[in-house]
């Protein structure tokens, strides 16, 4: 990775400490970077630390009982070192977030227009009328029909897909340079998923906004991302340009994920290959590869502490002792 | 009608679906409220009570507490209903109906003002506690716990005794007993909002904490407070009467007051039981009205009671 990236996450660790319980490490040294205008995917199954990573970057984790270390550099400044109010000033203006559940992420008692103008007025010096006009325009831009009327409506009057459009409009309202989209389509119908994803990528590409797309769905990644980071047990296990990841995955976990995706063009009767077990059957990275207990290729060599990301080229690295050399050889 | 006609769906009434901007959560609560018979009874009672209180000078046949017919009251008898006095006289020789009508007035004024004060102070404490959290929350809530541990009537009696007998002290006494209830309620409501997705979403947009609490979480927390305020009005009406019954009410005899009417009626319970009966009924019905309305509001504002 050359030059200074827009977002540079270095060795991010998040631990949750509850009274009387052992601490849980949710993110265990995640590093990745996002260049300006680039769309980067963070992929992994539930519990691998993707959402916690995004909340940590945004500074939205509860302060009490959480310890965060590492660095999150946004355009050169370490966001983790900023005071809450300095960070608040950047949120919404420089970096914004689109959440998973459009049904609950809007305030139920305020009109859509109010919720949009509020963000606009918090970060720009538009007056009430100008903000209102801009809000209607934004609603139109995200493909909401009859935006003027919709602006006066309440969230429960819109479908899930429409609400997610509104959330996208709100996130894009102040033209941030980075958007973090946390499973933006998971709560939507399949037919709507494609539309919303399409809208999101189009808008992001048009405005040159960088995006971190968090998802468990490789299909979502395939259509949108420039680069993909696969997360497992709180660490990036593979990082590659999109095409290479799908054509020649190196980490056994990535391979497993790809083999588990149902394909429409597969011959009838082709079995799916699930990745056995769950994220809970894992080792500490300090002991060995966390994926080893679920991996068909694991042997004694996998039990070495802190396996590094490596690969023949810096653009495509994997944290694996026995990386795959050939595409999709299913064990 | 052909079979095809029967299958063709009738055009749905467009009002509900495309109600452009008119279907806020408050409005749908209002719709649910209107469909609740108990709520309508409560609302009618409350409305009547308010009308009587406001229009007392127009409705009452005479002026209050004049003792104009004191001569007609003897130590052994109080004149009952007559053409001139539909409910008879009270033991001081004033028209009983007039006294009852003006009694509504003092109950309303004291009840509403004390509830308003209790609500305002309690809500302020609740917002500070639930919105800021941390040590502010701890300090406020411990104070509130102390207040709450004193039975409300005892608290009201103490405050009234401490401040002397005046309308203001009654109001303060009653509101003092209400403050902890509102504070706790609003704090709990706010805390329930704090973990909601939309609050996290608002934080991700860089809105200030104060703005989120006041502009977003508070409007979402007002439902239970509104219900409590209505129910509290019922309690307030009873407490006004209770305080004057205990001799801590408004000392001015020219102000008609239901609680005091009950006290004076005590001496003549054997001769003229209606002297106690009418104000008693007035207090009970008014309290019932507010309670019915409050309960109906609770149902209407509860999204789970999907009616």
């Amino acid at each position: 990775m050359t030059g200074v990236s827009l977002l540079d996450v270095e060795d991010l660790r998040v631990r949750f400490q509850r009274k009387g319980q052992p601490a849980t490490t949710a993110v265990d040294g995640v590093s990745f970077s996002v260049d300006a205008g680039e769309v980067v995917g963070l992929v992994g199954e539930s519990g691998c630390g993707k959402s916690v990573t995004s909340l940590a970057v945004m500074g939205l984790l509860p302060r009490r009982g959480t310890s965060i270390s590492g660095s999150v550099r946004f355009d050169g400044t370490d966001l983790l070192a900023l005071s809450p109010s300095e960070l608040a000033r950047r949120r919404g203006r420089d970096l914004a977030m689109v959440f998973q559940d459009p049904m609950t992420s809007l305030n139920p008692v305020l009109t859509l227009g109010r919720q949009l103008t509020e963000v606009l007025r918090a970060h720009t010096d538009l007056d009430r009328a100008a903000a209102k006009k801009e809000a209607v325009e934004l609603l139109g831009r995200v493909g909401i029909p009859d935006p003027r009327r919709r602006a006066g409506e309440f969230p429960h009057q819109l479908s899930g897909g429409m609400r997610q459009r509104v959330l996208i409009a709100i996130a894009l309202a102040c033209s941030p340079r980075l958007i973090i989209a946390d499973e933006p389509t998971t709560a939507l119908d399949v037919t709507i998923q494609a539309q919303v994803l399409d809208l999101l990528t189009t808008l992001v590409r048009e405005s040159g906004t960088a995006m971190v797309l968090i998802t468990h769905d490789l299909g979502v990644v395939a259509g949108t991302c420039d680069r993909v980071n696969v997360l497992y047990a709180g660490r990036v296990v593979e990082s590659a340009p999109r095409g290479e990841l799908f054509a020649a995955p190196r980490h056994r976990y990535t391979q497993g994920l790809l083999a588990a995706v149902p394909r429409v063009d597969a011959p009838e009767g082709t079995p799916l290959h699930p990745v056995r077990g769950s994220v809970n059957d894992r080792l500490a990275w300090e002991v060995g590869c966390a994926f080893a207990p679920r991996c068909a290729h694991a042997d004694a060599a996998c039990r070495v502490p802190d396996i590094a990301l490596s690969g023949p080229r810096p653009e495509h690295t994997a944290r694996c002792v026995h990386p795959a050399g050939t595409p999709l050889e299913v064990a | 009608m052909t079979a095809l006609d029967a299958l063709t769906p009738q055009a749905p009434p467009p009002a509900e679906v495309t109600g452009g901007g008119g279907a806020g959560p408050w409005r749908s609560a209002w719709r649910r409220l209107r469909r609740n018979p108990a709520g309508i009874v409560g609302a009618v009672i409350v409305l009547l009570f308010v009308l009587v209180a406001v229009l007392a000078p127009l409705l009452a046949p005479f002026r209050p507490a004049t003792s104009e017919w004191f001569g007609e009251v003897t130590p052994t008898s109080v004149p009952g209903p007559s053409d001139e006095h539909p409910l008879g006289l009270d033991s001081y020789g004033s028209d009983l109906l007039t006294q009852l009508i003006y009694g509504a007035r003092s109950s309303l004024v004291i009840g509403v003002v004390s509830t308003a004060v209790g609500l305002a102070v309690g809500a302020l404490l609740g917002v500070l506690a639930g919105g800021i959290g941390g040590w502010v929350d701890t300090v406020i809530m411990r104070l509130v716990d102390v207040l709450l541990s004193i039975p409300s009537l005892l608290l009201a009696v103490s405050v009234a005794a401490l401040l002397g007998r005046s309308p203001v002290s009654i109001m303060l006494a009653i509101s003092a007993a209400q403050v902890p209830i509102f504070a706790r309620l609003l704090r709990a409501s706010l805390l329930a909002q704090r973990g909601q997705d939309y609050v996290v979403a608002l934080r991700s947009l860089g809105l200030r904490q104060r703005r989120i609490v006041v502009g977003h979480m508070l409007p979402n927390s007002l439902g239970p407070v509104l219900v409590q305020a209505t129910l509290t009005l019922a309690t307030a009406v009873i407490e006004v009467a209770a305080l004057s019954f205990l001799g801590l009410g408004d000392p001015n005899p020219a102000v008609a007051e239901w609680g005091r009417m009950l006290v004076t009626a005590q001496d003549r319970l054997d001769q003229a039981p209606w002297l106690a009966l009418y104000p008693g009924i007035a207090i009970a019905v008014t309290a019932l009205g507010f309670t019915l309305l409050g309960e109906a509001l609770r149902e209407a504002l509860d999204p789970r009671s999907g009616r």
Side-chain angles (χ1 to χ4, degrees):
Chain A
M1 276 142 267
T2 50
V4 180
S5 310
L6 179 64
L7 178 75
D8 216 333
V9 176
E10 271 286 324
D11 198 27
L12 181 71
R13 283 165 204 270
V14 181
R15 285 157 64 85
F16 296 117
Q17 178 72 60
R18 287 227 186 96
K19 235 182 250 170
Q21 282 174 32
T24 327
T25 302
V27 177
D28 190 11
V30 162
S31 304
F32 66 94
S33 63
V34 183
D35 290 335
E38 192 183 29
V39 178
V40 171
L42 283 187
V43 188
E45 35 188 342
S46 340
C48 71
K50 2 180 247 291
S51 290
V52 175
T53 303
S54 65
L55 291 175
V57 169
M58 295 292 290
L60 290 175
L61 288 170
R63 304 189 151 256
R64 208 184 287 179
T66 312
S67 64
I68 305 177
S69 65
S71 77
V72 175
R73 297 199 161 274
F74 180 81
D75 201 20
T77 26
D78 190 351
L79 295 183
L80 297 181
L82 291 181
S83 75
S85 65
E86 285 171 320
L87 192 56
R89 219 167 305 137
R90 300 206 133 206
R91 280 201 295 256
R93 196 189 59 188
D94 286 343
L95 60 173
M97 196 158 169
V98 176
F99 287 89
Q100 177 171 0
D101 191 350
M103 305 315 261
T104 56
S105 298
L106 286 163
N107 184 345
V109 305
L110 294 184
T111 62
L112 304 172
R114 264 290 302 280
Q115 304 193 41
L116 265 163
T117 45
E118 175 137 49
V119 185
L120 286 167
R121 299 201 62 197
H123 295 294
T124 62
D125 42 11
L126 294 176
D127 62 22
R128 195 177 291 272
K132 215 168 186 173
K133 209 169 142 242
E134 177 70 18
V136 171
E137 193 148 306
L138 278 162
L139 287 178
R141 190 131 49 97
V142 294
I144 291 191
D146 199 358
R148 195 172 302 274
R149 183 168 63 88
R150 290 292 184 183
E153 294 194 346
F154 292 88
H156 72 269
Q157 292 171 284
L158 272 70
S159 66
M162 284 294 156
R163 287 192 220 183
Q164 193 60 297
R165 284 168 191 266
V166 174
L167 283 170
I168 292 172
I170 291 176
L172 286 169
C174 300
S175 320
R177 283 189 287 165
L178 176 74
I179 284 210
I180 299 180
D182 186 0
E183 304 260 11
T185 58
T186 307
L188 305 176
D189 286 350
V190 186
T191 44
I192 309 296
Q193 281 186 7
Q195 285 181 19
V196 168
L197 206 58
D198 203 38
L199 172 81
L200 191 58
T201 33
T202 311
L203 288 176
V204 164
R205 300 270 187 217
E206 267 174 15
S207 55
T209 309
M211 175 159 78
V212 175
L213 182 66
I214 294 170
T215 180
H216 64 266
D217 188 345
L218 283 167
V220 166
V221 168
T224 48
C225 297
D226 300 316
R227 211 142 43 80
V228 185
N229 295 290
V230 180
L231 254 66
Y232 189 80
R235 276 192 196 180
V236 173
V237 293
E238 180 156 8
S239 173
R242 181 210 12 199
E244 266 183 57
L245 187 92
F246 283 93
R250 292 177 57 78
H251 199 280
R252 298 294 174 178
Y253 175 60
T254 316
Q255 262 194 325
L257 279 183
L258 286 170
V261 175
R263 299 182 64 115
V264 180
D265 56 356
E268 203 173 324
T270 310
L272 286 176
H273 295 278
V275 180
R276 282 166 315 198
S278 79
V279 174
N280 294 327
D281 322 322
R282 69 189 199 195
L283 292 177
W285 285 106
E286 288 78 20
V287 179
C289 174
F291 183 60
R294 300 172 68 185
C295 182
H297 301 265
D299 56 23
C302 297
R303 294 200 162 244
V304 289
D306 297 312
I307 300 162
L309 276 171
S310 62
R313 292 183 306 125
E315 298 89 56
H316 188 171
T317 53
R319 200 184 290 282
C320 189
V321 180
H322 302 301
T326 49
L328 276 183
E329 46 152 302
V330 175
Chain B
M1 186 191 266
T2 66
L4 192 65
D5 281 337
L7 288 174
T8 312
Q10 300 291 304
E16 295 264 314
V17 191
T18 55
W26 294 108
R27 199 162 292 221
S28 57
W30 168 238
R31 213 168 30 231
R32 283 196 291 274
L33 184 62
R34 276 186 321 192
R35 290 191 202 138
N36 186 340
I40 295 189
V41 172
V44 168
I45 294 175
V46 168
L47 195 70
L48 278 178
F49 169 66
V50 172
L51 278 180
V52 166
V54 172
L55 302 176
L58 299 176
L59 292 174
F62 301 99
R63 299 191 37 241
T66 48
S67 297
E68 216 178 315
W69 302 276
F70 192 58
E72 293 174 35
V73 181
T74 68
T76 51
S77 79
V78 179
S82 62
D83 285 346
E84 199 186 356
H85 306 291
L87 295 182
L89 298 176
D90 73 1
S91 42
Y92 296 125
S94 302
D95 180 63
L96 187 59
L97 181 61
T98 307
Q99 293 295 93
L100 271 181
I101 290 175
Y102 274 92
R105 207 164 225 216
S106 32
S107 291
L108 179 75
V109 170
I110 297 177
V112 167
V113 171
S114 59
T115 302
V117 172
L119 175 66
V121 177
L124 184 69
L125 291 178
V127 168
L128 289 176
I132 299 178
W135 66 268
V136 179
D137 183 21
T138 311
V139 169
I140 290 178
M141 289 329 284
R142 290 303 80 77
L143 282 175
V144 163
D145 283 346
V146 170
L147 275 180
L148 210 57
S149 67
I150 307 169
S152 67
L153 192 59
L154 184 64
L155 184 65
V157 167
S158 323
V159 174
L162 206 69
L163 295 177
R165 296 175 60 186
S166 77
V168 175
S169 81
I170 304 172
M171 291 177 198
L172 287 180
I174 295 173
S175 50
Q178 297 175 355
V179 165
I181 300 171
F182 285 115
R184 279 194 84 121
L185 191 68
L186 193 56
R187 171 182 175 267
S189 278
L190 284 173
L191 288 188
Q193 296 295 320
R194 193 141 75 176
Q196 299 284 314
D197 286 351
Y198 78 88
V199 175
V200 181
L202 287 168
R203 290 213 293 136
S204 83
L205 292 165
L207 293 187
R208 283 161 192 279
Q209 176 72 4
R210 199 177 48 197
R211 188 78 203 98
I212 296 176
V213 170
V214 176
H216 293 267
M217 289 160 70
L218 194 57
N220 274 294
S221 315
L222 283 183
V225 175
L226 196 69
V227 170
Q228 184 61 42
T230 316
L231 294 175
T232 303
L233 276 168
T235 328
V237 168
I238 296 174
E239 280 185 3
V240 176
L243 284 178
S244 22
F245 188 83
L246 295 172
L248 293 163
D250 193 338
N252 182 358
V255 175
E257 217 288 311
W258 291 342
R260 197 170 44 228
M261 290 168 77
L262 279 178
V263 183
T264 48
Q266 262 183 321
D267 304 336
R268 294 175 184 266
L269 216 48
D270 50 342
Q271 309 161 6
W274 64 85
L275 288 184
L277 198 62
Y278 292 131
I281 289 176
I283 293 168
V285 169
T286 309
L288 178 72
F290 280 115
T291 308
L292 285 177
L293 183 62
E295 291 295 342
L297 265 178
R298 190 203 301 281
E299 274 177 42
L301 289 171
D302 183 357
R304 275 162 302 186
S305 73
R307 279 212 260 172

